[in-house]
């Protein structure tokens, strides 16, 4: 009985498939495509990272600029001696309300005084996270701080150098 029932079901399924196969038709449906062209993401350095005036002592020291507050702190033989201090400021501009990424240096850079004296800046920080947002005007402000490593009896002079900040849309 079970074998006969299986044969009947198989025969019925085959008949339905044959009837259906004769009535199959091809169908084409259009798809859509879209893209959004964003404003080019721009970055402008508006103020330099400035450690101010310092006096070096008989031991090495550091000068740190806080990326959130702009405050300067010193350690060891580095003594604050006035001058203008503050974090570096970058203006980021692009498409309104967009997410973007900020890449700050992850290695030290060298500052030089032009007469052979050098110091390094490292321990880079920013006032926000790695993932940032452009506001309703398509703007955001990034502050960058770091730590200057001052040698014992550091040679006097004006020390300068450059560092890179990179921005990319997410």
């Amino acid at each position: 009985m079970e074998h006969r029932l299986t044969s009947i079901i198989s025969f019925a399924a085959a008949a339905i498939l044959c009837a259906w196969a004769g009535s199959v038709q091809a169908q084409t449906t259009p798809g859509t495509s879209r893209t959004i062209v964003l404003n080019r993401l721009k970055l402008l350095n508006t103020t330099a990272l400035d450690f101010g005036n310092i006096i070096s002592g008989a031991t090495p020291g550091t000068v740190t600029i806080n990326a959130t507050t702009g405050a300067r702190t010193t350690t060891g033989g580095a003594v604050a001696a006035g001058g203008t201090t503050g974090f570096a400021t970058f203006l980021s501009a692009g498409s309104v309300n967009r997410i973007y990424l900020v890449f700050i240096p992850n290695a030290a850079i060298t500052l030089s005084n032009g007469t052979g004296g050098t110091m390094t800046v490292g321990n880079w920080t920013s006032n926000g996270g790695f993932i940032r947002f452009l506001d309703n005007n398509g703007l955001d402000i990034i502050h960058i701080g770091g730590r200057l490593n001052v040698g014992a009896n550091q040679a006097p002079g004006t020390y300068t150098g450059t560092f890179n900040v990179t921005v990319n849309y997410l």
Side-chain angles (χ1 to χ4, degrees):
M1 174 78 174
E2 193 176 312
H3 177 63
R4 187 172 176 204
L5 182 59
T6 302
S7 296
I8 292 172
I9 292 172
S10 296
F11 177 75
I16 291 170
L17 284 174
C18 287
W20 181 57
S23 64
V24 171
Q25 297 178 4
Q27 181 178 352
T28 302
T29 302
T32 59
S33 175
R34 82 178 197 122
T35 189
I36 298 172
V37 177
L38 300 175
N39 289 328
R40 185 174 176 193
L41 192 55
K42 298 174 189 155
L43 189 64
L44 175 66
N45 180 213
T46 57
T47 60
L49 176 57
D50 197 334
F51 294 95
N53 300 333
I54 57 171
I55 300 169
S56 68
T59 60
T62 64
V63 181
T64 301
I65 300 294
N66 183 296
T68 302
T69 65
R72 171 175 64 176
T73 57
T74 61
T75 65
V79 177
T84 302
T85 64
F87 42 64
T89 303
F90 292 83
L91 175 63
S92 183
S95 292
V96 171
N97 297 320
R98 289 291 172 177
I99 298 172
Y100 74 105
L101 305 175
V102 175
F103 300 93
I104 62 175
N106 60 5
I109 61 141
T110 300
L111 305 181
S112 63
N113 67 358
T115 61
T118 62
M119 292 187 281
T120 61
V121 178
N123 295 79
W124 302 96
T125 58
S126 73
N127 64 321
F130 169 70
I131 300 173
R132 306 286 291 242
F133 299 91
L134 295 170
D135 66 14
N136 291 336
N137 296 311
L139 302 173
D140 187 32
I141 296 174
I142 304 164
H143 297 154
I144 304 295
R147 183 177 68 205
L148 175 68
N149 297 300
V150 181
N153 302 312
Q154 186 73 46
T158 301
Y159 288 76
T160 60
T162 61
F163 64 94
N164 293 319
V165 174
T166 304
V167 293
N168 289 317
Y169 281 120
L170 183 61

